[in-house]
Amino acid sequence: MATQAIQIEADAKARRGFLLALGAYLLWGMLPFYMKAVAHLPLAEVIAHRIVWSVPIAAAVLIWAGRTADFKAAIRSPRTIAMAALTAALISVNWGIYVWAIAVDRTVETALGYYINPLVNVVVGALLLGERLDRLQIAAVVLAAVAVMVLTIEGGKLPWVSLALAFSFAAYGFFRKTLPIGPSQGFLLEVLLLSVPALGYIIFLIADGQDHFVSSNATDTALLIGCGPVTSVPLLLFAFGARLLRLSTIGIMQYIAPTIVFLIAVLIFNEPFGTTQAIAFGLIWAALAMYSWSMFRGREIRPAAPAAR
């Protein structure tokens, strides 16, 4: 009976984790709609409000979860503050490129970037952490490189939006591992650090009459405030859901968001998607299938608690 009760509890936690993570990925997938709604606003102002309005939400969740002790210890460590400043800078670059790309009708490239990201993580792990790649992982990386080459030859230039998103997020993930606190505490620390220049910039815009928060209409004000929840809510849902799931489950679920973004870009935003893009995406999807199979076949399956508290 005790074993059965433990299994029932484990299954309940897994279902709860799945629903939380699914909610996060669905919200991330639908994010282009919101970014289109704020596309008429200056990029820097949108990013500033994403940061500032994320602070109270992240703080409230941390207090509710009773994780403030870790956060208090972190802010007393100069090394932790320095590393958080670096990860905050990297994620703000990622946000900026993403918001800009949606605004200028390059949503397909953002989807490609987040498809490529897991493969970039594999390369980063091999080069910087000494992780060994199996044959399937090597083949997956080669296919991704061929896809980038196809797009480069056809377009006459590197698909820099996709690569910048993939590499900036990979760098963020790599350095984020150095922070001795969980994602929810780390996120609050990052947005708190970023909120200093962000709030200063917002105040400057308001004082100069160039803002869209006070000086504009109620719709723009609401959209700017909403930048906080659309940024922080999915991230926090994922943070709480991932610790209840196996790595294999997270590995396959990470493709939900870029798939939704891709479908929105092509079917709703009517962005161009020709033969060359189809070939490149086909190569990437094949690469991701190889990577996923390698992960299921060779990696230890264990709860993801240490990575996302």
Side-chain angles (χ1 to χ4, degrees):
M1 290 295 291
T3 303
Q4 185 179 9
I6 292 172
Q7 185 59 48
I8 291 173
E9 183 181 357
D11 290 343
K13 287 182 177 180
R15 283 193 297 270
R16 187 163 67 251
F18 177 81
L19 291 174
L20 288 168
L22 180 62
Y25 283 120
L26 291 176
L27 288 172
W28 277 325
M30 304 299 284
L31 189 58
F33 288 124
Y34 201 92
M35 294 300 103
K36 277 291 187 185
V38 299
H40 65 287
L41 301 172
L43 173 63
E45 190 171 9
V46 171
I47 298 300
H49 282 275
R50 285 191 79 173
I51 293 164
V52 168
W53 295 108
S54 291
V55 172
I57 297 173
V61 169
L62 203 64
I63 293 170
W64 171 79
R67 307 291 302 190
T68 55
D70 294 346
F71 181 77
K72 290 176 182 177
I75 60 177
R76 289 194 290 266
S77 168
R79 181 183 180 278
T80 300
I81 294 294
M83 292 307 302
L86 174 59
T87 57
L90 287 169
I91 199 62
S92 62
V93 168
N94 184 272
W95 287 351
I97 295 171
Y98 181 84
V99 174
W100 173 83
I102 301 293
V104 297
D105 301 325
R106 298 176 73 166
T107 311
V108 169
E109 294 178 61
T110 70
L112 180 63
Y114 287 112
Y115 274 131
I116 292 174
N117 177 250
L119 302 174
V120 173
N121 287 336
V122 169
V123 175
V124 169
L127 295 179
L128 301 182
L129 300 177
E131 297 177 357
R132 298 183 63 182
L133 305 184
D134 61 28
R135 291 180 180 178
L136 278 178
Q137 290 173 329
I138 294 172
V141 171
V142 170
L143 277 182
V146 172
V148 171
M149 189 182 304
V150 167
L151 291 172
T152 301
I153 294 172
E154 191 274 340
K157 58 183 178 181
L158 281 170
W160 71 267
V161 170
S162 302
L163 294 175
L165 286 172
F167 278 92
S168 62
F169 201 69
Y172 171 75
F174 174 77
F175 287 107
R176 183 62 182 78
K177 290 179 182 293
T178 65
L179 285 179
I181 50 177
S184 54
Q185 300 96 313
F187 177 62
L188 175 57
L189 182 55
E190 288 165 349
V191 291
L192 267 178
L193 292 172
L194 290 171
S195 68
V196 176
L199 187 59
Y201 180 67
I202 292 170
I203 292 172
F204 166 77
L205 290 178
I206 293 173
D208 206 39
Q210 299 181 38
D211 71 293
H212 295 80
F213 182 66
V214 174
S215 305
S216 188
N217 54 62
T219 300
D220 285 347
T221 301
L223 284 171
L224 288 171
I225 293 175
C227 286
V230 300
T231 299
S232 56
V233 169
L235 191 149
L236 293 167
L237 284 175
F238 178 79
F240 285 103
R243 65 177 178 173
L244 302 174
L245 294 174
R246 295 177 181 272
L247 290 176
S248 57
T249 305
I250 297 170
I252 201 66
M253 290 183 75
Q254 67 184 321
Y255 306 132
I256 294 174
T259 299
I260 296 173
V261 171
F262 168 74
L263 293 173
I264 289 172
V266 176
L267 300 179
I268 299 177
F269 293 168
N270 295 315
E271 293 190 11
F273 188 76
T275 303
T276 302
Q277 286 80 9
I279 292 171
F281 269 80
L283 290 169
I284 292 296
W285 289 329
L288 291 173
M290 291 180 180
Y291 163 77
S292 298
W293 176 250
S294 172
M295 179 183 63
F296 278 113
R297 185 187 64 176
R299 289 188 178 181
E300 178 187 0
I301 304 304
R302 60 186 185 277
R309 287 179 297 174

